[in-house]
């Protein structure tokens, strides 16, 4: 039951875009004694969460840079949109 619950929690965290929480949950799963199939599914989920976290972090950095650029160009409304 714990295994099933952890899989559901991890998938829900990805759906909610809580990638760090999903990574932690998949790591908990991988610490359990799993079948080969479950281990493969958990590894795929972990990689998916890590990839999404990386993309989100990169997008956030890009938005901040765009906000800084537009703020320097004295476009405060546009800058605020990038900072949101």
């Amino acid at each position: 039951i714990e295994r099933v619950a952890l899989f559901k929690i991890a998938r829900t965290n990805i759906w909610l875009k809580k990638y760090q929480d999903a990574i932690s949950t998949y790591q908990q799963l991988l610490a359990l004694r799993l079948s080969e199939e479950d281990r493969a599914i958990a590894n795929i989920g972990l990689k998916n969460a890590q990839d999404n976290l990386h993309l989100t972090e990169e997008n956030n950095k890009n938005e901040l840079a765009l906000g800084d650029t537009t703020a320097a160009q004295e476009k405060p409304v546009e800058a605020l949109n990038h900072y949101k």
Side-chain angles (χ1 to χ4, degrees), residues 42-61:
N43 277 315
I44 290 168
L46 176 61
K47 182 170 180 355
N48 182 28
Q50 290 169 331
D51 290 348
N52 280 308
L53 178 63
H54 178 72
L55 286 173
T56 300
E57 289 172 345
E58 286 301 311
N59 287 339
N60 290 343
K61 287 178 190 174

Side-chain angles (χ1 to χ4, degrees), residues 21-53:
D21 291 342
I23 290 168
S24 295
T25 304
Y26 279 120
Q27 289 171 335
Q28 279 183 274
L29 268 165
L30 290 167
L32 299 175
R33 197 179 284 152
L34 299 174
S35 68
E36 285 183 38
E37 181 181 2
D38 282 346
R39 184 163 298 282
I41 292 167
N43 277 315
I44 290 168
L46 176 61
K47 182 170 180 355
N48 182 28
Q50 290 169 331
D51 290 348
N52 280 308
L53 178 63

Side-chain angles (χ1 to χ4, degrees), residues 1 6 16-17 27 40-41 47 51 57 72 78 81 83:
I1 292 178
L6 288 173
L16 293 171
K17 298 182 181 181
Q27 289 171 335
I41 292 167
K47 182 170 180 355
D51 290 348
E57 289 172 345
E78 190 177 335
N81 287 330
Y83 291 136

